[in-house]
Amino acid sequence: MKMNIAVLPGDGIGPEIVATALDATIAVCEKYGHELTYKHALVGACAIDATGNPYPEETHKICMESDAVLFGAIGDPKYDNNPSAKVRPEQGLLGMRKQLGLYANIRPVSTMPQLIHKSPLRQDVVEGTDLMCIRELTGGIYFGRPQGRSEDGNVAYDTCVYSREEIDRIVRLAYTYAMQRRKKVTVVDKANVLCTSRMWREVAQEISKEYPEVETEFMFVDNAAMQLVQWPSRFDVMVTENMFGDILTDEASVITGSLGMLPSASVGLHTSVFEPIHGSYPQAAGKDIANPLATILSAALMFEYAFGLMEEGKLIREAVSASIDAGIVTVDIAQGEKSYKTSEVGKWIVDYIKNK
Ligand code: IPM
Ligand code: MN
């Protein structure tokens, strides 16, 4: 198969972790005889430094011309501590999501038996967790207008907006996944307070009638936050609006033992983007210590979701699992004293893929 991908490392640890995921991708393509071409492009703080724009037109063009995008992370502390900065790296990520029409962010959360002891939760609570959080990604309070400050600067406001169409397409996607899984959908909202949430509930209730085999449950977001750490294995597919999904998936990631383990796929109207759920971890940038597994697992999702290459995705997953079994892991998930560099983990995984 011909595969043409865009590689957007971004900021902080982005370049290091994306390099390992690209190496794994190249190794898999060589093994299975796929013809891979790729182009690097700028996004985030590095793009602001180079062009003044966090998601340059050139980058968008490369993404649009590709079959898939492999993305690292964006963000730089020099902007976080400067709330009055006019251009922010995050606008690059949000701009990319909006312009590529990536309305669904799929974040699978499952535990690996070898890592359960790293979870801050008790083993008996965590065991058996296998959920998929489907986060709406181009609507809600992240994008709603008006947004801004009053003239005297003493009042600030954001607006949460959803159209029926936006809710409909994401909820349908959740049911489609549920049909291939354990046939349960949890719609997370705050319908006791928010108008948008009441519409989510209304639309979901209508769609649920089309899927009689699927069990539908409605849950307020505060309750969902609690249930996630109390009884995570009760969830199958969770679908929710943009900001609730952002918060709940960071919470869900620690169930698995490390934020460095969770991949994601963003899909929608144009080219899909595959990225770890963690951020740019600037303190670790350039130190070769960041966990590359979430990004490597994102490459596995890329093979499966963007190209329908299930065996290739499975091989990457198997390589990741084998590296954990062999103890070839970064410091965040190491047992005992010995840990490995980002590049060493990457190389081990590439060798595994080659020799398998
Ligand atoms: C994520 C990130 C982004 C988000 C930030 C960096 C804008 O936290 O992908 O979850 O909030 O969506
Ligand atoms: Mn987030």
Side-chain angles (χ1 to χ4, degrees):
M1 181 182 277
K2 279 204 164 103
M3 293 172 54
N4 172 24
I5 68 170
V7 181
L8 275 54
D11 307 319
I13 57 169
E16 300 156 58
I17 53 175
V18 166
T20 64
L22 182 59
D23 286 344
T25 302
I26 293 169
V28 169
C29 286
E30 275 168 9
K31 178 163 209 108
Y32 285 89
H34 301 306
E35 207 178 300
L36 177 74
T37 50
Y38 56 89
K39 262 194 197 145
H40 281 81
L42 294 173
V43 66
C46 62
I48 300 177
D49 291 343
T51 72
N53 179 351
Y55 184 55
E57 195 44 50
E58 168 72 6
T59 300
H60 181 58
K61 191 165 164 272
I62 291 172
C63 291
M64 288 298 283
E65 287 167 353
S66 304
D67 304 316
V69 178
L70 193 57
F71 189 97
I74 52 100
D76 189 304
K78 76 181 176 208
Y79 296 94
D80 294 339
N81 304 328
N82 176 11
S84 61
K86 286 257 151 26
V87 201
R88 310 180 52 82
E90 288 76 12
Q91 290 164 346
L93 182 56
L94 300 183
M96 179 184 76
R97 288 172 179 170
K98 197 67 172 181
Q99 289 186 51
L100 293 176
L102 305 172
Y103 61 79
N105 183 225
I106 300 161
R107 299 186 161 180
V109 181
S110 59
T111 50
M112 288 189 165
Q114 312 97 305
L115 286 183
I116 279 196
H117 68 282
K118 281 281 167 186
S119 175
L121 301 175
R122 274 200 332 262
Q123 179 164 346
D124 61 298
V125 171
V126 172
E127 246 159 17
T129 300
D130 177 12
L131 66 95
M132 177 176 267
C133 183
I134 301 192
R135 166 186 173 193
E136 201 289 328
L137 204 58
T138 50
I141 201 164
Y142 272 61
F143 292 96
R145 295 293 181 269
Q147 176 189 66
R149 279 290 261 278
S150 65
E151 253 170 51
D152 68 5
N154 291 329
V155 178
Y157 46 89
D158 298 281
T159 310
C160 187
V161 183
Y162 271 109
S163 69
R164 184 172 287 275
E165 190 201 345
E166 285 175 313
I167 303 168
D168 188 277
R169 64 187 178 186
I170 189 91
V171 171
R172 271 179 204 285
L173 192 72
Y175 279 92
T176 314
Y177 278 108
M179 287 298 286
Q180 299 159 18
R181 294 172 48 99
R182 301 194 307 279
K183 298 195 171 62
K184 182 173 173 190
V185 170
T186 306
V187 181
V188 176
D189 63 27
K190 189 74 186 174
N192 48 347
V193 177
L194 302 176
C195 216
T196 42
S197 282
R198 285 192 283 275
M199 190 157 87
W200 269 76
R201 218 170 251 224
E202 193 182 298
V203 173
Q205 265 158 359
E206 283 163 21
I207 295 172
S208 70
K209 296 195 190 103
E210 296 172 33
Y211 295 88
E213 289 161 69
V214 177
E215 180 196 340
T216 304
E217 138 185 278
F218 294 93
M219 192 179 280
F220 296 141
V221 62
D222 47 351
N223 184 19
M226 180 187 73
Q227 303 255 1
L228 256 182
V229 288
Q230 203 168 44
W231 186 13
S233 59
R234 70 186 301 294
F235 293 105
D236 178 18
V237 175
M238 181 187 267
V239 62
T240 191
E241 65 97 48
N242 203 344
M243 184 173 252
F244 296 162
D246 178 45
I247 298 168
L248 290 177
T249 48
D250 259 36
E251 186 191 0
S253 75
V254 301
I255 296 171
T256 65
S258 173
L259 186 58
M261 292 300 300
L262 279 203
S264 86
S266 300
V267 305
L269 307 178
H270 305 294
T271 319
S272 300
V273 173
F274 300 85
E275 56 172 314
I277 92 152
H278 61 70
S280 60
Y281 191 15
Q283 305 86 334
K287 294 193 182 146
D288 204 16
I289 57 168
N291 188 344
L293 296 183
T295 319
I296 294 174
L297 289 168
S298 299
L301 290 180
M302 176 177 77
F303 277 100
E304 294 162 350
Y305 284 57
F307 299 100
L309 299 171
M310 308 316 272
E311 222 181 288
E312 285 80 341
K314 198 167 149 232
L315 176 57
I316 294 181
R317 250 183 263 287
E318 191 190 303
V320 165
S321 185
S323 77
I324 296 169
D325 285 338
I328 314 297
V329 293
T330 44
V331 63
D332 57 315
I333 53 171
Q335 310 203 35
E337 302 281 277
K338 186 82 186 127
S339 68
Y340 291 79
K341 298 277 182 197
T342 311
S343 54
E344 291 170 330
V345 174
K347 187 172 179 311
W348 194 93
I349 286 175
V350 165
D351 287 342
Y352 183 96
I353 292 168
K354 282 188 179 154
N355 299 327
K356 182 65 192 183

